[in-house]
Amino acid sequence: MPVTWPDKEDNELLALVQDGSHPAFAALVERHSERFYRLAYRYLQNREAAEDMVQDAFLKLWQDPRKWQADKNAKFTTWFYRIVVNLCLDWRKRKRPVALDEDMPLIDDQESADQVMIHRQEQRVLEKEIAALPERQRTALNLCFDEGLSNQDAADAMGVNLKALQSLIMRAKTTLKERMKAYL
Amino acid sequence: MNDNLDEKLDNLLRSRHIEPPSADLAQRIILKAGQSPQTKPMPLWQSVRELFGEFHLPKPAYVLASALVFGILIGLSAPQETYIAAEDGGAAIQSFLSADEALL
């Protein structure tokens, strides 16, 4: 059973990781792997690839924990979001775009057959349109809507100022509203 | 109307499908990290030693390199007068040449 260290902040755990503490690293992974998986999944639309990406990111952190500098990097999660996003973008450059899952599971089993069809179609179109957005607009959407990051945290993760982030989200939503008209 | 569209889009964005990760994802990462070593920061003197360790020059090369460095040092530490003398020499040649022109 891994030690979870709920009383320790991420920064404290990272300091321990920098001293070679494997249990501290395990606690960080336990705490955050799912959150970063979600982000990677948004980019890759594939479970295995997203898991590999999160694993790579955490292994890089373990192998060279001094890349994290508490004084330079405001918050571990903000900094690590950027690492995961960069890995995903690199991966996408190397590989062909992943096809969207035809058998996308349904959100709600209680929905009627028609609703199910509509919902499935909506989601497929939405994913397709999001995938077609410019990289930065997509990242802004993913961070704010999926990860529930505050605008400021998302801006920090992307290395832009708050106004730029708000503008990215606004442009993304305008494009999506236009392209998703039939479903809204 | 526009607000309604915004709200619908927000709801749609929040209900995006996501495939759950494997139950053992965290454990796999932890296990894998346990098998790979951490890079330790190296003190300066040790990195310098390792840097020199990379060079395997034969002894004559050391001698040649030392001689070269020594020669350069000697050259750089030559007294200033040498240059002045050279400048004086230049002036003498100039006056000689202009004297020659005067004769013509």
Side-chain angles (χ1 to χ4, degrees):
Chain A
M1 185 73 186
V3 189
T4 51
W5 276 329
D7 55 322
K8 288 222 185 296
E9 297 280 326
D10 290 345
N11 287 9
E12 294 174 279
L13 290 175
L14 277 157
L16 291 168
V17 173
Q18 288 178 338
D19 289 336
S21 166
H22 189 255
F25 174 77
L28 264 182
V29 174
E30 290 277 352
R31 191 179 289 177
H32 295 299
S33 57
E34 213 171 309
R35 160 201 292 231
F36 292 114
Y37 163 83
R38 282 201 309 271
L39 180 68
Y41 185 89
R42 284 290 171 235
Y43 281 91
L44 309 174
Q45 293 292 323
N46 175 287
R47 193 179 77 176
E48 282 75 28
E51 288 185 353
D52 284 351
M53 229 34 58
V54 178
Q55 180 170 306
D56 275 7
F58 272 111
L59 285 181
K60 276 182 202 293
L61 174 69
W62 168 250
Q63 283 158 356
D64 195 359
R66 288 184 192 271
K67 279 196 175 129
W68 157 258
Q69 289 168 307
D71 49 338
K72 262 191 185 175
N73 313 115
K75 214 168 149 190
F76 165 69
T77 44
T78 309
W79 173 74
F80 207 66
Y81 272 125
R82 205 180 301 180
I83 293 199
V84 174
V85 168
N86 286 341
L87 280 175
C88 291
L89 296 181
D90 285 349
W91 189 90
R92 279 168 56 111
K93 269 183 211 157
R94 288 197 309 267
K95 307 264 177 187
R96 283 172 162 199
V98 182
L100 295 178
D101 189 0
E102 292 288 333
D103 298 317
M104 196 177 267
L106 307 173
I107 296 289
D108 184 357
D109 293 340
Q110 301 301 309
E111 286 176 312
S112 73
D114 282 353
Q115 281 175 322
V116 163
M117 286 298 290
I118 293 167
H119 198 96
R120 178 182 283 195
Q121 180 66 8
E122 264 175 9
Q123 289 203 347
R124 283 179 52 76
V125 175
L126 179 67
E127 291 303 332
K128 196 174 140 239
E129 295 303 345
I130 289 176
L133 287 174
E135 207 65 75
R136 283 152 58 84
Q137 291 182 24
R138 191 162 66 236
T139 301
L141 270 190
N142 287 341
L143 291 175
C144 291
F145 280 88
D146 287 324
E147 298 310 312
L149 255 61
S150 70
N151 284 2
Q152 187 59 62
D153 282 348
D156 289 345
M158 289 181 70
V160 297
N161 64 36
L162 188 59
K163 278 200 169 168
L165 178 103
Q166 284 165 340
S167 154
L168 286 170
I169 292 176
M170 202 183 72
R171 277 185 280 156
K173 284 172 76 174
T174 307
T175 309
L176 288 178
K177 265 191 286 183
E178 184 60 35
R179 293 181 185 166
M180 297 281 302
K181 246 180 197 163
Y183 300 91
L184 295 172
Chain B
M1 177 67 186
N2 209 22
D3 284 350
N4 200 18
L5 279 184
D6 267 332
E7 206 182 310
K8 278 185 178 171
L9 180 64
D10 284 0
N11 288 339
L12 207 56
L13 284 169
R14 288 199 179 91
S15 70
R16 284 168 77 190
H17 158 73
I18 193 155
E19 206 177 335
S22 317
D24 65 341
L25 173 63
Q27 285 313 307
R28 262 193 289 147
I29 298 171
I30 294 164
L31 212 72
K32 193 112 183 176
Q35 292 161 357
S36 64
Q38 249 186 334
T39 50
K40 295 273 174 208
M42 207 183 280
L44 184 66
W45 65 268
Q46 201 181 332
S47 39
V48 171
R49 236 175 79 175
E50 286 205 1
L51 184 70
F52 277 101
E54 291 295 315
F55 293 106
H56 299 290
L57 288 174
K59 270 186 184 166
Y62 274 124
V63 175
L64 197 67
S66 312
L68 202 66
V69 170
F70 191 67
I72 290 168
L73 286 176
I74 293 283
L76 288 176
S77 62
Q80 205 73 25
E81 287 80 22
T82 317
Y83 303 108
I84 295 165
E87 275 169 23
D88 285 351
I93 288 166
Q94 284 247 310
S95 63
F96 166 75
L97 287 174
S98 25
D100 214 19
E101 269 174 26
L103 280 176
L104 291 171

